[in-house]
Amino acid sequence: NSQRYENTMVAFFDDCIEKYGSRAIITYSWLITQVFVLMGFIGGCVTASSNDEGSDGSKSAAFVAVWTTLLLLALSFGGTMVLRKYCTPLAVGFFLGVCLMMSMHTFNLLIIFAGLADGAATDAEADADNTFAAFCFFLSVCYAMFSVILIRFRNDLINVGPVSEGAGASLAANAAQNEADPSMMTPQAGAAGAAPVSV
């Protein structure tokens, strides 16, 4: 059964690649995540306001809600910059790690705010905490799914990443020449692979 499930998922990803392209799949999944980030931002502001105004509200919970929304916005900006401009192996790897950590972070907040809702002094605070906990659940799932997609297609993202036209053409020409005749390596390629010389 596990082998059949794995083959089904592989076939699903292959069909998506053939129909839409790996870059489009990454882009659409990131946009879907941003929709939930916007909802989480609104829910976080409501939760912070509800906990801060009430006399029995948790000031710590209000701070955590605000801080989390700021982290979500920062990740949204940074992730969009990586996908649009900085498709280097280091940037993509760092982006992937942050997405995984954000998935775990929002899952932890789901547990915390669900517990705070049970002990809330008023119905308004309980509703606000439950709402933010629900958004944290969806964000955790979205970031986890996006991380899986990014792991699956990370090489395609890096390979088709934006580079300057002059540098890209030069690197492509040098690579083709080196593959055709290794003895005709360009000075740049030879220098990059040369061993250090002791003086």
Side-chain angles (χ1 to χ4, degrees), residues 51-110:
N51 281 278
D52 188 61
E53 290 179 355
S55 58
D56 296 329
S58 174
K59 306 298 182 182
S60 299
F63 173 80
V64 169
V66 172
W67 180 247
T68 301
T69 57
L70 294 178
L71 292 179
L72 292 174
L73 293 177
L75 178 55
S76 297
F77 175 78
T80 302
M81 292 298 294
V82 170
L83 295 178
R84 289 175 58 89
K85 190 174 181 180
Y86 302 104
C87 294
T88 63
L90 178 61
V92 173
F94 184 81
F95 178 40
L96 174 59
V98 174
C99 287
L100 288 172
M101 292 303 299
M102 185 59 72
S103 177
M104 297 298 102
H105 176 64
T106 50
F107 181 78
N108 290 334
L109 292 180
L110 159 66

Side-chain angles (χ1 to χ4, degrees), residues 1-11:
N1 292 333
S2 60
Q3 184 65 28
R4 183 178 179 181
Y5 174 78
E6 181 179 353
N7 293 335
T8 302
M9 292 300 297
V10 171

